[in-house]
């Protein structure tokens, strides 16, 4: 199950979402040639990834921020950017450009902290934007639970594109992260599941004040759980204003 697109246009151009995608791509391209050199890429990770054991020594605190803009492979990058592209625009539409920027960074920093406390002695570098993106997904679930998301289902030779409500897709994704967190050693390479779980919960909690300002349950009733159409008005508690190659040899790393 993999989301490929939604059908929920936003009412404003999501400049911040586009800038975040561009920044992640450009930063990855800046060190991609080093992927063939294990020593060189490990130096990049040592300098900029989140390494819990290093934090324990009073070093590497900047990794909580810089690790959000690093990725371990092209597929890791593309997967994260696809999720950000699908869910980021509607969240930015509701929060505004500045609000969404602060929200994204807070969710990413919080996800990094949750990963740190889940594996405080780990020496494995942790990289990836998905902790922050998980926060976007958590907020999306709260605001737009019935938004339609197209998912790609593939099983051996069978595949299908199926539109499902966001609450099903995001709920299943969250459950998979929790299951993976309990089933995977947190101090080894692989996926940083607890960063995903933490980012998702933090994003949902940080969105509650906005949801309440929009009317809480009445907002769900007025919009039917979908992102509001750009040309429509809704009778919420607050009035709304219409808005116009071969795989490289790379070292072990945790992805988030």
């Amino acid at each position: 199950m993999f989301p490929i697109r939604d059908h929920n246009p936003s009412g404003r151009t999501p400049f911040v979402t586009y800038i975040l995608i561009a920044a992640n791509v450009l930063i990855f391209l800046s060190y991609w040639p080093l992927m063939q050199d294990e020593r060189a890429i490990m130096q990049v990770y040592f300098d900029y990834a989140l390494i819990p054991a290093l934090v324990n020594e009073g070093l590497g605190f900047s990794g909580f921020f810089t690790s959000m803009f690093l990725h371990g492979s092209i597929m890791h990058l593309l997967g994260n950017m696809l999720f950000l592209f699908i869910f980021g625009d509607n969240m930015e539409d509701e929060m505004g450009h500045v609000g969404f920027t602060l929200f994204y960074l807070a969710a990413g920093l919080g996800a990094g902290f949750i990963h740190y406390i889940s594996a405080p002695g780990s020496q494995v570098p942790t990289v990836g934007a998905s902790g922050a993106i998980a926060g976007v997904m958590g907020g999306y679930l709260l605001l737009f639970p019935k938004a339609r998301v197209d998912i790609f289902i593939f099983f051996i030779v069978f595949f299908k594109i199926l539109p499902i409500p966001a609450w099903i897709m995001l709920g299943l994704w969250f459950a998979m992260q929790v299951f993976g967190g309990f089933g995977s050693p947190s101090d080894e390479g692989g996926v940083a599941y607890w960063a995903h779980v933490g980012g998702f919960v933090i994003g949902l909690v940080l969105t509650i004040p906005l949801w309440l300002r929009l009317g809480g349950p009445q907002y769900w009733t007025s919009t039917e759980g979908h992102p509001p159409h750009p040309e429509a008005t809704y009778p919420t508690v607050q009035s709304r204003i219409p808005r116009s190659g071969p795989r490289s040899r790379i070292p072990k790393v945790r992805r988030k």
Side-chain angles (χ1 to χ4, degrees), residues 65-225:
F65 176 79
T66 54
S67 65
M68 289 192 282
F69 297 92
L70 301 179
H71 289 84
S73 69
I74 290 179
M75 293 307 297
H76 184 206
L77 171 71
L78 293 180
N80 275 349
M81 295 306 100
L82 176 61
F83 274 70
L84 179 56
F85 179 77
I86 291 174
F87 299 108
D89 61 333
N90 296 117
M91 290 297 292
E92 184 176 347
D93 196 21
E94 290 302 312
M95 293 182 163
H97 304 308
V98 174
F100 179 72
T101 301
L102 297 175
F103 167 82
Y104 180 91
L105 295 177
L109 292 172
F113 179 73
I114 296 299
H115 172 68
Y116 166 70
I117 63 176
S118 73
S122 175
Q123 299 182 27
V124 181
T126 302
V127 299
S130 56
I133 296 168
V136 175
M137 295 161 65
Y140 193 100
L141 174 63
L142 178 61
L143 292 183
F144 319 120
K146 294 184 180 180
R148 191 176 70 170
V149 179
D150 285 355
I151 62 170
F152 180 79
I153 299 176
F154 178 79
F155 182 73
I156 308 177
V157 296
F158 169 82
F159 67 89
K160 184 177 179 63
I161 295 176
L162 181 69
I164 63 173
W167 71 267
I168 295 179
M169 181 262 146
L170 294 173
L172 287 174
W173 182 89
F174 180 74
M176 291 168 60
Q177 306 313 302
V178 174
F179 181 80
F182 283 114
S184 174
S186 58
D187 58 350
E188 296 183 2
V191 178
Y193 289 107
W194 291 118
H196 295 176
V197 173
F200 191 94
V201 173
I202 290 168
L204 191 152
V205 171
L206 290 177
T207 307
I208 290 176
L210 171 62
W211 177 66
L212 292 174
R213 288 200 302 273
L214 293 171
Q218 293 185 42
Y219 177 70
W220 286 339
T221 300
S222 63
T223 63
E224 298 181 343

Side-chain angles (χ1 to χ4, degrees), residues 39-60:
R39 177 173 296 182
I41 193 61
M42 280 305 297
Q43 186 61 52
V44 172
Y45 292 151
F46 182 82
D47 291 338
Y48 299 108
L50 172 59
I51 306 176
L54 203 60
V55 174
N56 285 340
E57 298 175 6
L59 303 171

